[in-house]
Amino acid sequence: MLEINKFEVDCLIKLFNNLGVEPSERHSVVGLDRNSFRNILHVTFGMTDDMIMDRVFRAFDKDNDSCVSVTEWVEGLSIFLRGTLEEKMKYCFEVYDLNSDGYISREEMFHMLKNSLLKQPSEEDPDEGIKDLVEITLKKMDYDHDGKLSYMDFEKAVRDENLLLEAFGPCLPDMKVFNVIQIGTQNCYRLV
């Protein structure tokens, strides 16, 4: 990982604290609940896909306590914003593996692609186009030809073509946001 420095860690902690994070009614842990986190993803990073935002929340919430602690916030954002290709591949795969079974199945691809593609009013059956896209994706990425993507399949495909990192929907920040963060490290409050 391109390590974040002490100033940036302190900045992310201040940012977390400025979000008004308090123990929720359901949890005694101080952290961001799913709705607060999704709001940050939407407002700050321009994410709009509900399923992807929920999966990003799950990727950040490492201890599965339904809230993102300050430690999870800093660790998650360091990968989210400055992670190496390897770290980002693991993160994206975790987001796309909807049932956390270690594979991205045809059904998971279908659901993610269905949410991320615009439907044309003239299409008689838009699901057919999505099914075709899933088959094309499998031909491109399924190296062991087992009908689903393992992490090894995903990693090889992304290393061959970096654009496939977010093949099933945007789950990393927009480069415009990333540039603001890099330019504005002295003013981290511009993040949110």
Side-chain angles (χ1 to χ4, degrees), residues 7-142:
F7 173 80
E8 291 167 324
V9 169
D10 291 343
C11 198
L12 290 174
I13 291 169
K14 284 179 193 171
L15 188 59
F16 182 87
N17 292 332
N18 284 344
L19 293 171
V21 179
E22 298 176 2
S24 69
E25 294 172 10
R26 293 178 26 209
H27 309 285
S28 60
V29 179
V30 174
L32 293 168
D33 64 15
R34 182 178 305 274
N35 289 335
S36 300
F37 188 81
R38 284 173 51 130
N39 187 52
I40 292 166
L41 291 176
H42 178 71
V43 171
T44 306
F45 299 109
M47 291 188 180
T48 57
D49 185 303
D50 291 331
M51 182 174 18
I52 294 287
M53 288 191 291
D54 282 342
R55 293 299 302 166
V56 170
F57 176 81
R58 300 245 342 224
F60 271 65
D61 181 22
K62 293 293 184 195
D63 62 5
N64 294 316
D65 67 350
S66 298
C67 129
V68 173
S69 69
V70 69
T71 301
E72 291 167 331
W73 168 260
V74 171
E75 289 172 356
L77 281 178
S78 67
I79 292 171
F80 199 64
L81 300 171
R82 295 264 184 93
T84 62
L85 179 60
E86 180 72 29
E87 290 168 325
K88 287 182 179 182
M89 283 189 295
K90 287 179 181 173
Y91 160 80
C92 288
F93 187 84
E94 183 179 351
V95 169
Y96 299 147
D97 180 11
L98 300 179
N99 64 2
S100 303
D101 69 351
Y103 295 95
I104 303 171
S105 68
R106 274 186 163 84
E107 294 77 22
E108 289 167 323
M109 286 180 218
F110 180 84
H111 287 298
M112 287 180 286
L113 292 171
K114 185 174 184 171
N115 283 350
S116 66
L117 296 176
L118 296 173
K119 292 173 183 62
Q120 299 299 319
S122 62
E123 287 186 70
E124 292 174 19
D125 186 4
D127 288 356
E128 283 306 311
I130 296 166
K131 288 176 187 172
D132 291 343
L133 190 53
V134 167
E135 291 310 313
I136 292 167
T137 302
L138 281 168
K139 281 184 183 175
K140 175 81 175 159
M141 298 178 79
D142 183 16

